[in-house]
Amino acid sequence: MRQTQLLSPTLRQAPADAEAASHQLLVRAGYIRPLASGVYSYLPLGWRVMRQLERIIREEMDRAGAQEVHLPALLPAELWKQSGRYSVYGPELIRLQDRHGREFALGPTHEEAVTALIRDEVKSYKRVPLTVYQIQTKYRDERRPRFGLLRGREFLMKDAYSFAIDTDGLDASYRAMFDAYHRIMRRLGLRYRAIEADAGAIGGDGTTHEFTVLADVGEDTVVSCTACEYAANLERAESGSAAGNGAGGREGSREGNYPAPERFPTPGMRTIDELASGLGLKPSAVIKTLIYTVDGAPVAVLVRGDHEVNEIKVKNCLDAAAVELADEETVAAVSGAPIGFAGPIGLRPDVRVLVDRDVASMSEGIAGANAEDTHVKHVVPGRDIPLETVGDYRNVMEGEACPHCGEGRLQFHRGIEVGHVFKLGTKYSAALGATVLDPNGREQPLLMGCYGIGVSRLLAAIVEQHHDERGIIWPRAIAPFQVHLIPVAWKDEAQRQAAERLYAELQQAGISVLLDDREERIGVKLADADLFGMPLRLVIGRSIAEGMVEWKERAGTGAETVRIEHCIDNVLEWV
Ligand code: ATP
Ligand code: MG
């Protein structure tokens, strides 16, 4: 490709709203352009990278035995009503009507559509296990589209769905996809983790892993162990006490003679910090009581003062649809006090109380007294707080012992979730009637798995890991062009001729080349080359008189000179 013919408008300045490096660089280098919030056009360079990414993903899906299909993006609402998701998916689902007033949705994901297809076309257990996949545009009206391609409202996803008659079949399909995802991440040269994740609303039998690319801009917190393989996201990571090792047992003895609970004034001390500094104690001496509204009912969650409540764990434990912090009125109604003074003793009797294990193992603590400007001390779990609903309701903390090996410590990283594999079980097949006859002639709902990769998000995540202050540094596997060929002075006859010859020869050898045939100053050309990020740059300048070409890898630091007649062989060896 000749650069004079390439639609690649570069910008000196990043757009003002672009916070993420990938967003800034992809726009500046002319790979993408916004059309609306969270909606992007791909220009030729951006689309070439996308094609490469798709190629790698297709190769690995095919190798894992999955078959490519293409389902509609325009989905009849009826299907979503059958699965029950039409009402619960919420405002992220883009809904529309056709000219006859029939309801449709733009597909944010395709469990319903694929289940309906398999329901109608597969009738016998002999046809499964079966995995189909597609690479398709998805629509989600995200509350906060941001970071360019990382969270769009229209984005490209590879989604795959597996169907099996028994758990062995499901496990094998899940494993094949899990392995394929690892191969894809490795081929892309990414630093990533495959982590245990929360099953969320899509839910099935609960087994799920997220593939998370490590990057500071990521919205997810990845927890991993310094010693063993354990990795989970923060929503899911178990506290050591929950796993039953480390701090699981009671430190003090409940038999100990603790004085009776005693109320005392704490004017204006609403937060744990205010209380701890006001009384000169450690936050861990306090029992923190948070009032939530869970599917409309009040629930109090007790965690140690230095811990944070994990709302997903609360939600899962109560099998709830919605967990949110209670408003001021609710807090006043159930505790009789303003926010900041709720506590376990004397709450309205209908309030369900969840006690985190680390609170249960405290010998005594200080808690809110359910009265303004008042706390209570000598609160003894077990004596003053019923321990019927003890569980793991908190986020783990950096540095605490690993729940699995107990040897290592937990460390945190920021990450971008680029892929997600789930075991769905029969959730969709049962709702939509996707059954087959088993070997005994009995009808069985199919067991399903679903497997997504955000292809456009992955593109941006790669840039997050592969860039410097000057621009993008594409890994060879997905670069839009392998070689950027740059004559210093296009007007110079010798340089131009040598460049044209090398351009033709490289292409004949099967190498993709971008030839900078612009009459620009060399400074401008090199700055653009850095911004574009092609992995190898060949510069033809005055030393072409001696038959020499400059060879510089975008990822490396130094440059070398090579003889022009060796260029093709060297490039073939390098790619
Ligand atoms: P998130 O928690 O980031 O919203 P999700 O759990 O909604 O992601 P899934 O429903 O599992 O995502 O979708 C599969 C994959 O699609 C994700 O792993 C991610 O890579 C990608 N994806 C999801 N939402 C978006 C989006 N708004 N923009 C780009 N990619 C997305
Ligand atoms: Mg989402």
Side-chain angles (χ1 to χ4, degrees), residues 234-257:
L234 188 59
E235 283 79 55
R236 168 91 171 212
E238 303 155 42
S239 67
S241 40
N245 56 23
R250 272 177 83 80
E251 286 150 18
S253 158
R254 209 169 306 166
E255 314 307 319
N257 277 335

Side-chain angles (χ1 to χ4, degrees), residues 92 140 142 151:
E92 241 180 57
R140 293 184 185 180
E142 296 277 352
R151 186 172 294 285

Side-chain angles (χ1 to χ4, degrees), residues 343-359:
I345 304 174
L347 278 175
R348 213 172 66 189
D350 63 316
V351 181
R352 192 150 177 201
V353 181
L354 302 185
V355 183
D356 185 71
R357 292 199 190 209
D358 288 295
V359 168

Side-chain angles (χ1 to χ4, degrees), residues 89 92 108-109 140 142 149-158 202 210-211 219-220 417-420 422 452-458:
Y89 206 85
E92 241 180 57
T109 171
R140 293 184 185 180
E142 296 277 352
L149 301 184
L150 288 174
R151 186 172 294 285
R153 294 195 297 168
E154 173 174 309
F155 59 96
L156 202 63
M157 195 202 286
K158 185 288 299 172
I202 213 165
E210 279 175 11
F211 284 76
E219 295 175 325
D220 297 306
E417 175 202 321
V418 295
H420 206 165
F422 277 95
I453 290 184
V455 187
S456 44
R457 180 180 285 185
L458 185 56

Side-chain angles (χ1 to χ4, degrees), residues 52-53 98 129 188 198 219 286 318 327 353 452 465-466 486 504:
Q52 301 280 20
L53 260 179
D98 72 3
L188 297 172
D198 180 73
E219 295 175 325
V286 180
L318 298 176
D327 56 23
V353 181
Q465 274 192 5
H466 295 274
I486 306 178

